[in-house]
Amino acid sequence: MNRRNFLAATTLALTGDFVMADLPKVGSLDDALRWLDSLDKAAGVKTTGQWPMVSVLEHMAQSVEMSLDGFPQPKSALFQNTAGAAAFAFFKWRGQMSHSLSEPIPGAAALHREGDWRPASARLRAAIERFTRHQGPLKPHFAYGALGKADFALAHAFHIANHQDEIVVQAR
C-alpha cells in the first residue's frame, strides 16, 4: 500500500469506523471469489483511491470480460511483444502487479461514478466464473499480448489484488 492510501485508510479508520480489510491478499481467482463474498457480507465498503467502489469493481470486471471478448484498443504488436511482455514477466516474477489504480482500460466503456457497488461486484463474480468455465482461445491482453489461460488467470488475480490495496471495510 502506498503512503497516500495508508494515510487515507488510517483517517477512515479513525473517523468512520472503517478499517483495512483483514482479508488475505487475492492470489488466485478462487481467492477473488472468496474476497467478493467477504465484501458482500461487510457492513460497508469504501475505497481510498480516486474511484468509487462501483468504478473499481466495474473496471476489474471489464478486464476479465475483455480477456474473453477482446480489448477495444490494444497496443501495437511491437509493444505487446516487447515492453508489454516484459512487464507481465516482471509482475509474474515479483508475484504482484502495480499499476495506476485510476487509469481505465483504453477504449473501455465509461465507468459509473455513482451508485451501489453490489451490482458491479456481481458483474465481477459473473466474469470470473465465465472465465473459469471458458474452454476456447482467449483474446490478447491490450498490453501484455497473448497469454495462456493460467497466465491470464494470474494477471487477473494480480490486477484484483492491486486494487484490493485501496479498499477498506467497515467494522461490524
Side-chain angles (χ1 to χ4, degrees):
M1 171 184 303
N2 68 33
R3 183 181 180 319
R4 182 180 62 82
N5 286 350
F6 174 77
L7 292 173
T10 302
T11 301
L12 283 171
L14 294 174
T15 62
D17 202 28
F18 277 76
V19 296
M20 288 308 295
D22 186 22
L23 303 171
K25 192 75 162 167
V26 168
S28 69
L29 292 179
D30 285 339
D31 290 345
L33 293 173
R34 284 188 289 277
W35 175 68
L36 289 171
D37 290 340
S38 297
L39 292 184
D40 290 341
K41 294 174 187 169
V45 180
K46 291 187 179 186
T47 69
T48 60
Q50 295 179 13
W51 286 350
M53 274 304 291
V54 64
S55 298
V56 173
L57 292 166
E58 283 181 353
H59 168 74
M60 291 187 280
Q62 285 176 336
S63 180
V64 177
E65 292 163 351
M66 289 175 185
S67 66
L68 299 166
D69 304 326
F71 289 83
Q73 290 181 0
K75 302 240 183 220
S76 71
L78 178 63
F79 182 92
Q80 290 177 3
N81 291 315
T82 57
F88 180 71
F90 176 72
F91 295 152
K92 189 173 175 180
W93 171 80
R94 195 171 79 170
Q96 67 181 22
M97 170 189 291
S98 56
H99 75 298
S100 169
L101 298 179
S102 61
E103 187 174 331
I105 298 168
L111 301 169
H112 289 93
R113 303 295 289 181
E114 296 180 357
D116 184 7
W117 59 268
R118 282 175 168 73
S121 175
R123 177 179 172 187
L124 176 56
R125 178 183 303 284
I128 291 169
E129 290 169 350
R130 182 175 159 225
F131 177 87
T132 301
R133 287 189 313 269
H134 184 77
Q135 297 297 314
L138 297 165
K139 304 296 182 181
H141 186 274
F142 77 94
Y144 308 146
L147 296 175
K149 189 165 185 179
D151 278 344
F152 236 132
L154 192 59
H156 291 317
F158 286 168
H159 186 224
I160 292 166
N162 192 193
H163 282 283
Q164 186 182 18
D165 288 342
E166 67 180 348
I167 295 172
V168 292
V169 297
Q170 187 174 20
R172 287 200 176 259

